[in-house]
């Protein structure tokens, strides 16, 4: 399973990159706004900087919701860097746009996916990635992880090549469960990723080793 960081924060991207396990980045309009990135030139520069730090796919989301504007916007985003993947919402015009991008060799990430039916449509349209939002499904009282298992089973059965990019990650356990469920990618904020490092017995064991090392060094 690949690790993507779900942020537009450059310091966090550098920190995850330094760990040596970062495979890519996903962003969305909310994450870009959080970093205070404003205006077309600033957005382009921000994506360029991310692509310079990370050698992997970087999802950049269109802001429009109609077919024609999504195509124009997506073409501009894709021209920023070869690693840019155009992120398109799961709406009727979005599916049409994904098919258009697929036919024109522009890779897409179909976002805001909350059902197996939506994931089938994204795959049929040729999306490189499909992004089921498991945390938001959990938040609304359903089981987000169940959706990852269901999409995995359907994609394997049907031979779809679209990669399952589990998004809206809320915890370290979500990451582990995504790996168990066969997600191709897990995009996470930094904290749940760093949570994978932690175990109290590791800290206790290391303290003892360091203590004992003093006896013979
Ligand atoms: O990037 C899309 C997704 O990961 C959003 O997550 O935490 O806003 O539900 P969240």
């Amino acid at each position: 399973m690949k690790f993507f960081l779900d942020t537009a924060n450059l310091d966090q991207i550098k920190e995850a990159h330094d760990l040596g396990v970062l495979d890519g980045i996903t962003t969305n309009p909310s994450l870009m706004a959080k970093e205070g990135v404003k205006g077309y030139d600033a957005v382009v520069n921000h994506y360029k900087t991310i692509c310079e730090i990370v050698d992997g796919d970087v999802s950049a989301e269109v802001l429009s919701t109609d077919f024609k504007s999504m195509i124009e916007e997506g073409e501009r985003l894709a021209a920023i860097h070869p690693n840019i993947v155009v992120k398109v919402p799961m709406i009727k015009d979005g599916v049409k746009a994904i098919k258009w991008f697929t036919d024109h060799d522009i890779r897409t990430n179909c976002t805001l996916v909350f059902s197996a039916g939506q994931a089938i449509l994204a795959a049929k349209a040729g999306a490189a990635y499909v992004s089921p939002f498991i945390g938001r499904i959990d938040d609304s009282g359903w089981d987000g992880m169940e959706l990852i298992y269901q999409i995995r089973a359907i994609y394997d059965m049907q031979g779809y090549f679209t990669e399952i990019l589990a998004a809206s990650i809320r915890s370290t356990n979500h990451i582990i469960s995504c790996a168990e469920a066969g997600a191709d990618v897990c995009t996470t904020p930094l904290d749940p990723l760093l949570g994978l490092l932690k175990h109290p017995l590791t800290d206790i064991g290391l303290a003892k080793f360091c203590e004992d090392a003093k006896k013979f060094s």
Side-chain angles (χ1 to χ4, degrees), residues 7-125:
T7 186
N9 182 282
L10 298 178
D11 290 334
Q12 293 189 5
I13 291 172
K14 281 178 198 147
E15 187 175 342
H17 172 71
D18 286 349
L19 197 57
V21 298
L22 187 61
D23 299 301
I25 298 292
T26 51
T27 62
N28 62 40
S30 310
L31 294 170
M32 291 293 275
K34 205 170 150 191
E35 298 311 313
V37 187
K38 230 179 178 171
Y40 180 68
D41 288 345
V43 169
V44 170
N45 283 335
H46 203 78
Y47 281 128
K48 275 187 183 157
T49 308
I50 293 175
C51 290
E52 278 161 17
I53 301 169
V54 183
D55 184 20
D57 287 347
V58 174
S59 286
E61 188 159 342
V62 296
L63 307 180
S64 331
T65 52
D66 68 279
F67 176 76
K68 194 170 166 285
S69 311
M70 276 192 267
I71 298 303
E72 285 167 8
E73 222 186 306
E75 281 190 302
R76 281 202 301 268
L77 289 170
I80 295 173
H81 192 279
N83 287 348
I84 291 284
V85 175
V86 180
K87 206 171 175 188
V88 180
M90 168 42 75
I91 53 175
K92 203 173 186 181
D93 275 24
V95 174
K96 280 167 63 179
I98 290 169
K99 177 73 174 94
W100 189 93
F101 286 128
T102 305
D103 292 343
H104 291 79
D105 291 328
I106 292 175
R107 292 177 309 136
T108 53
N109 172 357
C110 182
T111 189
L112 289 167
V113 165
F114 295 90
S115 76
Q118 292 177 324
I120 291 170
L121 260 184
K124 287 291 289 179

Side-chain angles (χ1 to χ4, degrees), residues 6 28 31 87 133 136 167-168 170:
D6 195 28
N28 62 40
L31 294 170
K87 206 171 175 188
F133 277 29
R136 292 192 196 183
S168 185
R170 298 272 190 270

